[in-house]
Amino acid sequence: MMIKFGTGGFRGVIADDFTKENVQKIAQGLSLTALENGWGGKPVVIGYDLRFMSDKFAAWMAEVFAGNGIKVLLCTSVVPTPIVMSATKDMDNELGVMITASHNPYVFNGVKVFRKNGMDADVGFTNALEKVTNACGNVNVMPLALAKERGLVEEYSHIEKYLDNIVSFIDPKIKFNKAKILFDNMCGAGCVGLKPIARRLNITRFDIINEKHDAFFNFITPNPTEEAMSRLKNMVVKNGYDYAIATDSDADRLGVLDENGNSVSSNEILACLYYYLVRYRGQKGDIVKNCSASVLLDMLAEKLGFKCYEVDVGFKNISAKLKETNALIGGESSGGLTVRNYIFGKDSTFSAALFMEMQIVMNKPVSEIVGEVKNFAGYGYHCAEDSCEVSDMRVFDALYKDDGREIGAKKVHAFNRNVKYYFENGCWALLRASGTEPLLRIAAEMPSESEVRKIAEKLKCKIKETDDKLLKGSL
């Protein structure tokens, strides 16, 4: 099969397209790229999470780097993805690799690739890597035992340095707290960072559920969405927790429920932390969001006296804009964020620690903090999400060129696999092409429930109309 990298790296179904052969082909492609660019003298950090056979795939990948004469620092145990990013940045390496499928269901696994400064590999790099990988003939392999004997594979841990770095960002005064927090580890790698962080920050009560390893993730997709966290609502209310948090399988996405067990959206988490950093910590700077994130962030930035930058979906785009603009904070609508001078990648251990600080310092229930931020920004919009099946994905190509006037849009902008329609007063709607099925996803944000439903329905009609024209050959 042809290796293809998506927004978050290479993903595949285990034993179908995610195989030893394909993972070692990627390692060979990375090795050839490193040697061609003169990076062969720098080691590559390889980490892995708790997904089925992630440790084996990491070892098989290490054997290929070693077979090409490139040293590997192989993590000694399960780690969250941000630890590999942190290690790559701290050691000034050119490449880092993580074996994970992040928030995908248990049947998947994947490969994430990081570049200098621990940043997600950009599209230019992954496009070039695809060509090199798919053109690979021989894959050079050195057995792991021999590679270790020759010093080409070395066991490595970056956990303590990673934790020290996070703690250095957090106000030490919060160690005197009465916080009561419920943490759903979702059978992932989140405990590796959050359990010791809670100890270091002296959180009064930090209760963990789903800490035990389960390659099936309790048959729940390990993604801290509102739906996945809804089962925690009764636990939060009954046991008097200040709030609940959850992380995905490789601990780069964060989900939150407030003291009433109600979901705090990723947009609200990002907005609250931005507000806290500026208003309570006195920090200054812009914010970066992806094109599917809420107008709340634009309104908040304006009220704070700063600018909100908008980029395509994919944290690599957030990171690139953060680096370019030196913005204070950046995040995406799916639950990942980072701040200036931290790693150029999302990290739920870090964002959770910062959230803990915020709630303790502000000394208010989470629901009140969210309300305060929205009132300050003057936000009162409604959101809607929908989807529409199509017979031919050329529908998206046709809509990609649409000027939006038919549905009342003032401007249209194409972001790779997204088409965004801009209306008055910050209102917007988005079409996103599914990468795995003949489907277009719809998102919209308007001042009222009726308006947001109306625009979503208009887009569905437009999609179906375009699909019909394609089927009849009249487009």
Side-chain angles (χ1 to χ4, degrees), residues 98-225:
M98 179 71 185
I99 305 296
T100 180
S102 190
H103 59 285
N104 290 126
Y106 74 88
V107 295
F108 286 85
N109 211 331
V111 177
K112 289 185 177 181
V113 178
F114 308 109
R115 289 295 324 283
K116 201 171 184 66
N117 293 317
M119 294 178 69
D120 291 280
D122 61 28
V123 175
F125 182 85
T126 55
N127 285 346
L129 176 60
E130 284 173 11
K131 291 179 181 177
V132 174
T133 299
N134 290 316
C136 280
N138 295 330
V139 174
N140 302 319
V141 177
M142 180 182 291
L144 190 63
L146 180 59
K148 286 183 176 181
E149 185 182 311
R150 294 184 178 179
L152 284 166
V153 173
E154 189 178 299
E155 292 187 344
Y156 177 74
S157 175
H158 196 73
I159 294 174
E160 290 304 312
K161 190 169 183 180
Y162 164 78
L163 295 174
D164 289 344
N165 189 28
I166 291 176
V167 171
S168 73
F169 275 82
I170 305 303
D171 188 335
K173 292 197 297 291
I174 75 161
K175 290 187 177 182
F176 305 99
N177 65 79
K178 297 178 181 179
K180 300 185 293 294
I181 303 166
L182 174 65
F183 170 44
D184 185 353
N185 184 57
M186 303 192 90
C187 303
C191 268
V192 174
L194 273 169
K195 193 173 182 179
I197 280 291
R199 274 199 307 269
R200 289 192 184 202
L201 298 181
N202 197 33
I203 300 300
T204 302
R205 183 178 171 192
F206 191 78
D207 295 340
I208 304 172
I209 60 172
N210 296 313
E211 183 176 358
K212 188 178 177 182
H213 175 214
D214 180 357
F216 299 106
F217 302 107
N218 287 332
F219 296 100
I220 296 170
T221 300
N223 189 15
T225 60

Side-chain angles (χ1 to χ4, degrees), residues 10 45 86 94 142 154 169 174 179 203 220 282 363 389 398 468:
F10 171 71
V45 176
S86 178
E94 296 287 348
M142 180 182 291
E154 189 178 299
F169 275 82
I174 75 161
I203 300 300
I220 296 170
N363 194 28
E389 291 185 5
D468 287 341

Side-chain angles (χ1 to χ4, degrees), residues 6 9 33 71 98 121 129 190 219 276 293 297 306 312 314 344 364 367 383 405 427:
T33 301
K71 185 171 182 176
M98 179 71 185
L129 176 60
F219 296 100
Y276 171 72
L297 302 168
F306 299 107
D312 192 9
F344 285 108
K364 297 175 182 178
S367 63
C383 301
R405 283 184 292 183
C427 301

